[in-house]
């Protein structure tokens, strides 16, 4: 009798105790989840506020002032120490320069745009695509569903980057609204409307030019330029740290998009401006003026068709930055196309970038 009486209530008591502990753990887990979600929301809000404040900074005015400063002629006795300091800070290789005497450069701008000796950058002849510039490979690969990656995991839109597909029409030079034709078009349908050739894919590659790099850029292949589109945009920094921070960075920034054809179909090469890039100069397009005064309405661009397409051969000089920035290549190629670089690689102008298998 005592055993039965004693043992009777023991099982319910233990079950109740276990239930209380389980409920306590679940309650604690819910509280931790709520705290984590609150923290994530706060961090996201802070990030948005930081980006908003950063974009409100007068970066275009600062860049224009920097550009003017770079063009100020230096006294001969100051050229070697001041430009030499820049060489030391950013690791420039003077042995590659066509002119190695620093006293021959009247200002910093001339040194930024220095030419190289012809023998230091042989252009690879065996690969269909070569690097257009010195720099660092930020990202490369296939364009999927109209979305590109500026760095791993951070994306931007193909339709926002290139704008409406009017480059094959004879429109006059004009200021146009980019948003009107794209409002009701998805990223996926935008890519489909490029009408790639059967068996081809769309690829892209981003090369970042640091301040110490050679600042001229060249044609990466033989192609014909049919159209230029200039987005006035902003001048946010494009260094890898900022590219990881700001989603859609390249769609915000000033850029000159050149579109045309190469042996495999659609080809585009874009020079993207950045903070302290005083100007983008394109040798075959003297009308292009970048970093101009006055704020342009958002999502606007200037179009210029080339009635007589400009033919560029692999390795031809194409343009120059006044300081460092970024080159973006977007092109169609056969499905067997393979890149010969890796993310984060330092690459030199003329070196292999990719070829078909």
């Amino acid at each position: 009798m005592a055993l039965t009486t004693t043992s009777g209530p023991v099982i319910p008591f233990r079950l109740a105790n276990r239930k209380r502990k389980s409920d306590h753990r679940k309650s604690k887990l819910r509280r931790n989840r709520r705290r984590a979600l609150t923290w994530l929301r706060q961090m996201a809000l802070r990030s948005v506020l930081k980006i908003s404040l950063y974009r409100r900074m007068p970066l275009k005015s600062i860049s224009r002032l920097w550009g003017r400063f770079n063009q100020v002629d230096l006294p001969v006795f100051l050229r070697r120490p001041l430009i030499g300091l820049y060489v030391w800070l950013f690791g420039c290789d003077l042995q590659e320069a066509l002119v190695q005497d620093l006293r021959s450069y009247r200002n910093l701008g001339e040194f930024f745009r220095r030419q190289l000796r012809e023998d230091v950058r042989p252009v690879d002849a065996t690969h269909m695509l070569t690097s257009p510039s010195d720099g660092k490979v930020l990202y490369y690969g296939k364009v999927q569903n109209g979305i590109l990656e500026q760095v791993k995991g951070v994306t931007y839109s193909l339709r926002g980057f290139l704008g409406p597909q009017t480059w094959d029409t004879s429109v006059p030079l004009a200021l146009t609204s980019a948003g009107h034709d794209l409002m009701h078009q998805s990223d996926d349908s935008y890519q489909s409307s490029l009408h790639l050739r059967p068996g081809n894919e769309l690829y892209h590659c981003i090369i970042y030019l640091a301040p110490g790099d050679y600042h001229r850029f060249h044609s990466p292949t033989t192609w014909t330029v049919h159209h230029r589109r200039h987005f006035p945009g902003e001048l946010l920094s494009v260094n890898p740290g900022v590219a990881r921070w700001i989603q859609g960075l390249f769609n915000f920034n000033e850029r000159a998009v050149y579109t045309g054809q190469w042996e495999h179909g659609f080809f585009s090469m874009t020079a993207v401006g950045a903070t302290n890039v005083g100007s983008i100069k394109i040798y075959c397009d003297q009308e292009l003026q970048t970093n101009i005064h006055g704020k342009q309405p958002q999502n606007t661009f200037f179009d210029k068709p080339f009635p007589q397409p400009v033919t560029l051969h692999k390795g031809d000089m194409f343009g120059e930055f006044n300081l460092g920035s970024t080159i973006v290549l977007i092109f169609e190629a056969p499905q067997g196309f393979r890149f010969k670089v890796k993310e984060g690689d330092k690459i030199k102008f003329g070196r292999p970038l990719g070829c078909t298998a």
Side-chain angles (χ1 to χ4, degrees):
M1 291 290 291
L3 183 61
T4 304
T5 304
T6 306
S7 62
V10 170
I11 295 174
F13 175 77
R14 288 178 177 173
L15 289 176
N17 192 39
R18 288 174 186 170
K19 186 176 184 304
R20 281 195 296 272
K21 289 181 180 180
S22 176
D23 290 343
H24 178 72
R25 284 195 295 268
K26 289 178 181 178
S27 177
K28 186 177 180 180
L29 183 60
R30 284 195 293 268
R31 285 198 303 271
N32 289 339
R33 284 175 178 171
R34 284 197 296 269
R35 288 171 183 168
L37 287 172
T38 301
W39 182 82
L40 287 172
R41 290 192 192 102
Q42 290 174 346
M43 293 300 294
L45 181 59
R46 288 175 186 173
S47 179
V48 169
L49 289 173
K50 286 179 182 178
I51 292 171
S52 178
L53 289 172
Y54 175 56
R55 292 182 63 187
R56 288 176 182 272
M57 292 177 64
L59 298 175
K60 297 198 79 168
S61 298
I62 293 170
S63 299
R64 278 193 293 270
L65 288 173
W66 179 250
R68 289 172 188 164
F69 172 75
N70 289 342
Q71 302 308 316
V72 174
D73 286 352
L74 300 170
V76 175
F77 74 94
L78 284 178
R79 294 176 187 175
R80 182 175 287 173
L82 290 182
I83 300 176
L85 177 63
Y86 183 90
V87 170
W88 176 76
L89 284 174
F90 295 105
C92 306
D93 189 351
L94 266 183
Q95 299 301 314
E96 296 181 336
L98 180 64
V99 178
Q100 298 177 18
D101 183 0
L102 296 181
R103 292 172 300 181
S104 300
Y105 297 100
R106 293 175 298 175
N107 50 57
L108 280 171
E110 283 192 358
F111 180 74
F112 294 152
R113 302 184 300 272
R114 64 191 179 277
Q115 291 191 49
L116 300 181
R117 301 196 332 258
E118 290 186 5
D119 59 322
V120 298
R121 294 287 189 278
V123 178
D124 182 87
T126 60
H127 292 76
M128 66 169 65
L129 199 65
T130 57
S131 177
S133 66
D134 289 7
K136 181 180 181 179
V137 178
L138 287 190
Y139 206 78
Y140 66 92
K142 290 182 182 180
V143 181
Q144 302 283 0
N145 304 316
I147 300 297
L148 307 92
E149 293 196 67
Q150 56 196 38
V151 291
K152 185 71 171 179
V154 183
T155 61
Y156 63 107
S157 163
L158 178 67
R159 65 190 176 103
F161 187 75
L162 296 180
Q165 296 176 30
T166 56
W167 44 72
D168 56 351
T169 61
S170 299
V171 294
L173 178 64
L175 181 66
T176 314
S177 170
H180 179 71
D181 295 333
L182 301 179
M183 286 293 289
H184 306 292
Q185 188 175 23
S186 69
D187 292 308
D188 190 35
S189 64
Y190 182 92
Q191 180 171 340
S192 298
S193 61
L194 284 174
H195 301 301
L196 305 185
R197 297 176 183 176
N200 280 4
E201 299 276 2
L202 195 65
Y203 299 86
H204 73 114
C205 183
I206 305 170
I207 300 174
Y208 166 70
L209 289 75
D213 287 325
Y214 167 60
H215 295 297
R216 300 190 182 209
F217 46 93
H218 301 245
S219 176
T221 191
T222 298
W223 64 299
T224 54
V225 181
H226 294 254
H227 188 273
R228 179 259 286 164
R229 175 166 289 157
H230 171 216
F231 292 84
E234 303 179 39
L235 286 178
L236 308 177
S237 172
V238 292
N239 73 57
V242 176
R244 293 187 185 93
W245 180 41
I246 301 180
Q247 186 96 1
L249 170 65
F250 295 134
N251 286 356
F252 297 142
N253 269 18
E254 180 166 32
R255 58 196 181 278
V257 182
Y258 289 84
T259 53
Q261 295 283 315
W262 73 319
E263 61 177 312
H264 299 293
F266 175 79
F267 193 93
S268 74
M269 181 172 176
T270 302
V272 182
T275 307
N276 290 337
V277 177
S279 65
I280 300 170
K281 181 179 179 181
I282 303 297
Y283 302 133
C284 64
D285 185 10
Q286 298 299 318
E287 295 176 7
L288 176 68
Q289 294 185 6
T290 61
N291 198 4
I292 56 178
H293 285 277
K295 186 175 177 62
Q296 299 290 347
Q298 191 174 6
N299 297 326
T300 58
F301 54 79
F302 292 95
D303 268 353
K304 177 188 173 181
F306 290 89
Q308 298 296 325
V310 178
T311 299
L312 294 168
H313 297 280
K314 187 194 294 183
D316 285 352
M317 278 199 191
F318 189 38
E320 61 188 43
F321 291 114
N322 191 359
L323 204 57
S325 197
T326 300
I327 295 292
V328 178
L329 302 176
I330 302 173
F331 56 93
E332 69 171 292
Q335 291 178 352
F337 183 86
R338 295 290 181 270
F339 284 95
K340 297 296 182 179
V341 292
K342 295 180 180 178
E343 184 183 346
D345 280 357
K346 288 289 291 182
I347 195 168
K348 300 291 187 181
F349 150 62
R351 300 308 301 153
L353 196 61
C355 65
T356 53

